[in-house]
Amino acid sequence: MQHVSLGGLDVSRIGLGAMTMAGTYTTGGGLDDAESIRTIHRALDLGVTHIDTAEIYGPFHSEEIVGKAIKGRRDDVVVATKFGLVSHAGDGPGVIDSSAHNVKAAVEGSLLRLGTDHIDLYYQHRVDPNIPIEETIGALAELVTEGKVRQIGLSEAGPDMIRRAHTVHPVSALQT
């Protein structure tokens, strides 16, 4: 398996996305958590080290599955997850909220569900039109300093937003 460096994280070039393990884009069938966990284990056995999830998937269910699957194997996995499509201020799933307060609430929930003390790659899931990117990245930079997050990523961000974010803290990965 070939690897690449994302901001110093050594990750397999092939990763496993866990979105459909929470029912996203699936039709006609129920969830099979045991099969999802077996799939993650098989990917790890084949050398995949990059597992990608998000709090909105399920919501929360995908992170819970990933957490169960990596228990006892945490050092073998680069965990990527995303925040910003769940408002923890009471508005719930599907509400964009990348305020500093929400970023900090989201990371605590993700850490708990994933069963870990740090997230390797933490993405803003969508750019929040109501919150300056500098505020969001500033909150993420604090999480890096605290050791809760290792690297920062952006999803669905344009070039100008990426440049503005990068002036506050290095952005290690982009996702489209």
Side-chain angles (χ1 to χ4, degrees), residues 15-163:
L16 177 65
M19 180 172 65
T20 57
M21 295 177 185
T24 308
Y25 296 133
T26 58
T27 59
L31 298 176
D32 188 339
D33 293 350
E35 183 64 23
S36 295
I37 291 169
R38 280 192 296 277
T39 300
I40 293 169
H41 287 169
R42 181 69 174 137
L44 295 174
D45 292 344
L46 291 171
V48 172
T49 62
H50 186 184
I51 308 294
D52 183 273
T53 186
E55 67 175 355
I56 190 66
Y57 302 157
F60 311 119
H61 191 70
S62 178
E63 286 184 333
E64 292 167 353
I65 291 169
V66 170
K68 289 175 184 173
I70 66 172
K71 187 174 183 175
R73 298 180 79 168
R74 179 63 180 96
D75 292 341
D76 301 328
V77 182
V78 174
V79 175
T81 193
K82 295 173 281 299
F83 71 91
L85 293 181
V86 176
S87 173
H88 296 277
D91 295 322
V95 177
I96 295 176
D97 186 349
S98 289
S99 65
H101 177 75
N102 200 66
V103 170
K104 292 175 183 179
V107 78
E108 295 304 329
S110 291
L111 290 169
L112 184 64
R113 288 184 292 276
L114 291 164
T116 188
D117 64 348
H118 69 279
I119 295 166
D120 298 301
L121 180 56
Y122 203 36
Y123 287 95
Q124 180 187 29
H125 210 147
R126 295 287 186 277
V127 173
D128 186 333
N130 300 311
I131 305 294
I133 191 70
E134 293 82 1
E135 176 183 329
T136 303
I137 300 301
L140 290 168
E142 288 179 24
L143 296 175
V144 170
T145 299
E146 293 171 13
K148 294 179 180 181
V149 171
R150 290 203 174 147
Q151 300 295 328
I152 295 171
L154 295 174
S155 180
E156 306 294 336
D160 181 57
M161 200 63 64
I162 296 165
R163 282 186 203 95

